[in-house]
Amino acid sequence: QLQLQESGPGLVKPSETLSLTCSVSGGSISSSSHYWGWIRQPPGKGLEWIGSFHYSGKIHYNPSLKSRVTILVDMSKNQLSLKLSSVTAADTAVYYCGREYYDFWSGYPGWFDPWGQGTQVTVSS
Amino acid sequence: DIVMTQSPDSLAVSLGERATINCKSSQSVLYSSNNKNYLAWYQQKPGQPPKLLIYWASTRESGVPDRFSGSGSGTDFTLTISSLQAEDVAVYYCHHYYSPHALTFGGGTKVEIK
């Protein structure tokens, strides 16, 4: 059974870089049938897609975050990582990683299933 | 970006009654090449990650009870819970994955028991 587990610092100072890792077990991050992505949810609010990675090298970022986001993958560790630079209080959220359907018609990511449990990140001095 | 607008923001339904949630996209998410609507629905219970219910607008994910159904095409979509159960109390989100636009989610609809 595929499982995803997010990890990283729960507290980040303003202007610093947020770094999170998603460890995947029960499946391979090099699957051609899936993207792997990040989503976040600010306290009491809705969901925001951050970006998605396919092992072929395709990466898609939310344009609103693109200048600050980097998604990397360590195939040997079966891990996905997220780096978000120059954080502010507005970046406080629960951060989720998830597996995404790979749409062979468009070559783009689809729905998320499953999701990790999420990790709370607070930006504060 | 495609904006997803859900309505209502919240609704209270009696046990065993029907719950209907609407989702409208600012432009069509119907992909002409394969005639599929690039829309999914998720359920999120407090303290839990979202759970996939429906994809391709109307295809129920394996293991999801058949009281959940999705319908619609183009820009207007509906999630229906035919007979609300206590365990269905949650926030429901629609989500478009119509590329190459940024993936976006609706604002969510909170379903409660009346």
Side-chain angles (χ1 to χ4, degrees):
Chain A
Q1 182 182 354
L2 184 74
Q3 291 188 323
L4 302 95
Q5 181 65 57
E6 305 88 347
S7 60
L11 182 64
V12 181
K13 290 183 168 53
S15 80
E16 294 189 345
T17 296
L18 177 163
S19 295
L20 298 175
T21 297
C22 174
S23 298
V24 178
S25 59
S28 174
I29 210 163
S30 58
S31 165
S32 61
S33 299
H34 299 98
Y35 273 87
W36 304 84
W38 289 95
I39 315 96
R40 69 181 184 179
Q41 186 170 34
K45 296 188 178 181
L47 301 162
E48 181 180 32
W49 170 68
I50 299 171
S52 304
F53 175 93
H54 187 260
Y55 95 103
S56 64
K58 295 180 183 180
I59 303 179
H60 305 283
Y61 294 127
N62 188 326
S64 68
L65 298 170
K66 189 173 183 177
S67 63
R68 299 194 292 131
V69 172
T70 304
I71 293 177
L72 299 169
V73 169
D74 187 329
M75 302 286 188
S76 66
K77 294 182 178 180
N78 220 31
Q79 289 179 337
L80 183 74
S81 66
L82 170 70
K83 295 187 184 301
L84 181 65
S85 64
S86 305
V87 298
T88 69
D91 296 310
T92 293
V94 174
Y95 285 75
Y96 297 100
C97 61
R99 185 183 67 176
E100 299 172 81
Y101 170 78
Y102 177 84
D103 179 37
F104 285 91
W105 281 91
S106 66
Y108 280 82
W111 59 84
F112 286 87
D113 179 56
W115 300 55
Q117 284 299 308
T119 187
Q120 172 71 47
V121 177
T122 301
V123 178
S124 175
S125 55
Chain B
D1 288 357
I2 297 177
V3 178
M4 309 300 289
T5 303
Q6 286 184 233
S7 63
D9 292 335
S10 64
L11 74 161
V13 176
S14 300
L15 289 172
E17 296 300 305
R18 179 186 300 263
T20 301
I21 301 168
N22 301 302
C23 176
K24 187 174 183 67
S25 57
S26 60
Q27 65 183 78
S28 177
V29 298
L30 174 62
Y31 200 52
S32 58
S33 298
N34 58 8
N35 200 36
K36 288 182 180 290
N37 286 283
Y38 280 49
L39 184 112
W41 289 96
Y42 302 88
Q43 174 194 65
Q44 186 177 33
K45 297 181 179 180
Q48 296 184 19
K51 173 190 172 185
L52 177 69
L53 297 176
I54 303 280
Y55 54 93
W56 297 134
S58 61
T59 301
R60 197 179 304 116
E61 169 70 341
S62 176
V64 173
D66 61 7
R67 63 180 179 274
F68 291 92
S69 63
S71 62
S73 185
T75 60
D76 292 280
F77 300 90
T78 299
L79 176 70
T80 301
I81 310 172
S82 60
S83 176
L84 190 75
Q85 304 299 304
E87 61 266 32
D88 301 334
V89 169
V91 179
Y92 294 84
Y93 294 94
C94 60
H95 162 219
H96 95 80
Y97 44 97
Y98 186 86
S99 61
H101 299 273
L103 310 183
T104 54
F105 295 83
T109 296
K110 187 175 185 179
V111 174
E112 299 174 307
I113 305 294
K114 185 187 291 184

